[in-house]
Amino acid sequence: MSGEQARGVRIAVLGLGEAGGLIAADLRDAGARVQGYDPAENAPQGVADTADEAAAAAGCDLVLSVNSSKAALDALHSGLSGTGPGTVWADLNTAAPRLKRQLAETAAEAGIGFADISLMAPVPGRGLRTPMLASGPSAARCAELLGPLGAGVEVLEGPAGLAAERKLLRSVFFKGMAAAVVEALEAGRAAGCEEWLRGNIADELQRADADTVQRLVEGSRLHAVRRTDEMQAASDMLTDLGVAPRVSSASRDLLQDLQHRDQV
């Protein structure tokens, strides 16, 4: 698609909160004709503010649903009457693969294309240039429409839900690690050594490499018995400090489960 063609693309953005608003503004600045809808937010200047999902989708080549996983299916049902045979509906919400497949089936029944898109980094500071993974029947078409406007879309060969699966698998690690850091620092604060612990955590993260992952997995299995006892002690300590040991107790339970698996 040429730069001139890219500037003629019409795109709807449903959900104009932090992420959707930034993406809509960047699409506008890149020359696309942008129509938006959000029941609680006004569209950015230069983005056409519409009355509902169907009005936003009307005449658009691409609809970006950037609201929430809870609203994703309702948004699609509400917007379908405004779509046409050439429309691609792209769902950017963080949702389970099961829901993405349901959305793809609904779009197919309505005769429009569908792409499952996962935003792989925080949108603030990046906007439309936030790295994206796309899967589903119209993933390549979505990349073709967004690429010339400045987006980086990696297309995964496979059904809708594959991009969501990749993102959520990463979230199990990254959000789980974040929860562990939050809990540890809260306990460190209660124990009077938060800054020491913060430095210790930062040092471990800085020294991490590819071997670290294998060492964590092998060590957890090899020392599951001892580490179960250690995390029980950690949970008891946090309770004494007045900190709920949610992550610590979950770690104890997982290590205990590893013992049972290895004994089978």
Side-chain angles (χ1 to χ4, degrees):
M1 183 186 294
S2 68
E4 191 63 34
Q5 289 173 314
R7 285 190 287 276
V9 170
R10 181 174 289 177
I11 299 176
V13 180
L14 308 181
L16 297 168
E18 184 177 56
L22 290 170
I23 290 171
D26 281 353
L27 288 168
R28 172 204 64 199
D29 293 346
R33 291 181 293 171
V34 188
Q35 300 173 184
Y37 171 69
D38 190 305
E41 299 286 343
N42 293 324
Q45 186 175 5
V47 172
D49 213 342
T50 62
D52 54 31
E53 291 92 345
C60 287
D61 304 286
L62 177 64
V63 179
L64 303 180
S65 180
V66 200
N67 29 65
S68 72
S69 60
K70 292 180 180 179
L73 191 57
D74 286 343
L76 176 55
H77 283 303
S78 298
L80 281 177
S81 63
T83 64
T87 304
V88 173
W89 190 284
D91 188 85
L92 280 67
N93 300 300
T94 301
R98 181 190 312 113
L99 176 56
K100 297 283 188 167
R101 291 190 290 269
Q102 184 180 0
L103 292 166
E105 290 170 4
T106 301
E109 290 169 0
I112 64 170
F114 181 81
D116 158 27
I117 294 185
S118 287
L119 298 168
M120 299 304 289
V123 175
R126 297 178 178 87
L128 185 60
R129 287 165 179 76
T130 304
M132 302 180 193
L133 290 181
S135 66
S138 295
R141 176 58 177 159
C142 191
E144 181 184 322
L145 290 168
L146 289 176
L149 296 168
V153 184
E154 179 184 351
V155 176
L156 302 174
E157 295 296 331
L162 190 62
E165 182 178 76
R166 297 285 178 92
K167 177 171 183 174
L168 291 173
L169 286 170
R170 182 175 178 272
S171 294
V172 172
F173 155 68
F174 204 81
K175 302 305 189 296
M177 180 181 67
V181 169
V182 169
E183 182 171 296
L185 290 177
E186 185 180 356
R189 190 177 313 119
C193 57
E194 180 183 1
E195 291 308 311
W196 170 84
L197 184 57
R198 187 182 294 272
N200 189 275
I201 292 169
D203 183 59
E204 291 290 344
L205 292 175
Q206 288 172 354
R207 291 190 290 110
D209 57 22
D211 291 336
T212 303
V213 177
Q214 192 60 28
R215 188 166 65 251
L216 290 172
V217 173
E218 290 179 352
S220 293
R221 292 189 178 279
L222 183 62
H223 305 294
V225 174
R226 176 175 60 78
R227 291 185 180 183
T228 297
D229 292 340
E230 182 177 336
M231 292 314 297
Q232 179 61 61
S235 297
D236 292 343
M237 179 189 70
L238 263 64
T239 299
D240 291 342
L241 290 169
V243 176
R246 298 181 181 90
V247 178
S248 301
S249 295
S251 298
R252 175 204 60 207
D253 293 345
L254 185 144
L255 288 162
Q256 191 169 49
D257 187 51
L258 287 179
Q259 295 177 48
H260 296 153
R261 290 184 207 174
D262 292 341
Q263 290 168 3
V264 173

